[in-house]
Amino acid sequence: MKQFVSFRQEKQPKRRKKDMLEEYDIDKLNPRPNPYIRKNKSNITIRLDDEVLEYFKSLSEDLDIPYQTLINSFLKDCAKNKRQLVWSKSS
């Protein structure tokens, strides 16, 4: 009886057990931070007025950058410069 082997299985290199350790000593692994990771960003849900969203979308098309990046840049600038909103309640 002939056994069929798929092409992928045929081309995979054979793994040798002696190359793999049973256990690894984590203290000897010398962990280091990944230099390719960007600063963390949080996924949130935010409700914006339609005209605000349309403004940022049209501005992002003019500048050729994603609108979410543009909104983040505006908010980052506000936080960096500690901008305060002057809020007055309407009568």
Side-chain angles (χ1 to χ4, degrees):
M1 179 181 237
K2 192 171 187 180
Q3 185 178 5
F4 291 97
V5 178
S6 74
F7 179 74
R8 286 184 181 166
Q9 288 176 341
E10 205 173 85
K11 293 293 182 181
Q12 289 179 350
K14 302 283 186 194
R15 291 188 180 174
R16 297 179 297 195
K17 285 189 176 183
K18 67 180 183 179
D19 292 343
M20 303 278 299
L21 296 177
E22 289 294 322
E23 289 187 24
Y24 289 92
D25 187 0
I26 294 177
D27 294 330
K28 293 181 181 179
L29 289 179
N30 189 16
R32 55 187 175 259
N34 185 344
Y36 301 106
I37 293 179
R38 293 182 182 176
K39 290 184 178 180
N40 291 339
K41 290 189 176 187
S42 299
N43 289 330
I44 63 165
T45 300
I46 185 170
R47 298 177 63 80
L48 302 172
D49 293 334
D50 289 341
E51 60 266 11
V52 171
L53 188 58
E54 288 303 316
Y55 169 76
F56 280 103
K57 283 185 175 182
S58 67
L59 187 59
S60 74
E61 287 176 7
D62 295 342
L63 298 173
D64 197 32
I65 58 173
Y67 75 94
Q68 291 175 332
T69 303
L70 184 60
I71 293 171
N72 186 62
S73 296
F74 269 75
L75 294 175
K76 188 186 289 187
D77 180 65
C78 289
K80 179 181 174 185
N81 295 305
K82 298 185 182 346
R83 298 188 196 279
Q84 296 287 323
L85 176 66
V86 178
W87 187 268
S88 61
K89 287 189 174 185
S90 300
S91 310

